[in-house]
Amino acid sequence: ARGKVRWNIPVGKPSGKEAQLPQKPAPVFRQLSERIRGCLVTPGRIYLTSSHRWLYCFDHKGMELWKKELDFDPAQTRPALAGKEIFVLQQRSMIYSSFKTTDGSATAAFNIEDRFEGSRRTGEPEALGGGLCLLPLTRAVLLLDLSRRAILWEFQPEGSTIEQVFYFPQDGGELIA
């Protein structure tokens, strides 16, 4: 298979400008100062979170549609889409902050920290489509409905810690914890 670079744009380029290849590269230390934490590609949009606490939205031509400054460090995982909202997991807590896909304005957050205090993530959240997400923690594996902000199912092994979770969508959604 052969790929094609459709566009290349430095993160943080002013909105409303068409993506183009840079004419003169910036110094390496400057290019690496902001890092991508997560990327979600949908049929119409590309959503990025960065180490400088930004959520970006691009179209497939590289045009920045909007950006939102975050008041938290985003986790190093891709954002999740649920209906007309984009969900970003916070790095230091069990809170999904959410934003409208149209303009990045904040909507109600989904806080699961109170129920699973002291637990931490043991792997990447697994987006299942339709706003559903598997979230592996040290004390539980959760099936979340992000749009309803609800925990639909949980598995909590008594007296043990979950170290790894394996999900096999091709085998009927089998999960091993």
Side-chain angles (χ1 to χ4, degrees):
R2 298 179 91 181
K4 179 181 176 186
V5 176
R6 295 184 60 141
W7 53 270
N8 177 356
I9 186 169
V11 173
K13 191 172 186 95
S15 60
K17 295 197 176 180
E18 191 78 27
Q20 297 177 354
L21 292 172
Q23 298 299 323
K24 183 178 178 188
V28 173
F29 70 88
R30 181 141 173 92
Q31 290 177 359
L32 297 179
S33 64
E34 184 171 18
R35 301 185 194 267
I36 302 301
R37 289 260 171 122
C39 176
L40 175 67
V41 179
T42 69
R45 301 279 186 264
I46 299 168
Y47 300 95
L48 299 174
T49 56
S50 81
S51 60
H52 284 189
R53 294 181 165 189
W54 286 99
L55 170 61
Y56 295 94
C57 177
F58 297 97
D59 66 14
H60 284 217
K61 292 181 181 175
M63 183 82 62
E64 183 183 285
L65 302 176
W66 53 261
K67 68 180 180 181
K68 172 75 175 172
E69 187 170 14
L70 305 173
D71 60 359
F72 60 90
D73 291 319
Q76 293 182 354
T77 188
R78 77 181 60 179
L81 183 66
K84 302 217 180 265
E85 293 178 292
I86 191 81
F87 287 79
V88 178
L89 184 60
Q90 296 184 16
Q91 177 72 25
R92 293 181 180 87
S93 65
M94 294 295 180
I95 299 172
Y96 270 101
S97 292
S98 62
F99 308 90
K100 290 181 183 177
T101 58
T102 53
D103 61 8
S105 58
T107 59
F110 181 19
N111 185 347
I112 58 173
E113 193 166 51
D114 296 337
R115 283 192 57 194
F116 297 95
E117 191 174 345
S119 196
R120 62 176 174 74
R121 283 187 304 121
T122 60
E124 295 292 315
E126 182 74 40
L128 304 177
L132 300 180
C133 178
L134 277 174
L135 181 62
L137 306 174
T138 52
R139 293 186 2 211
V141 177
L142 309 176
L143 176 60
L144 306 176
D145 182 337
L146 295 173
S147 59
R148 289 181 29 216
R149 288 146 180 86
I151 299 171
L152 301 180
W153 171 87
E154 61 188 68
F155 167 69
Q156 291 187 38
E158 209 171 304
S160 60
T161 301
I162 298 170
E163 293 187 21
Q164 284 186 303
V165 173
F166 301 96
Y167 175 67
F168 303 96
Q170 70 278 10
D171 292 330
E174 186 174 308
L175 174 74
I176 300 173

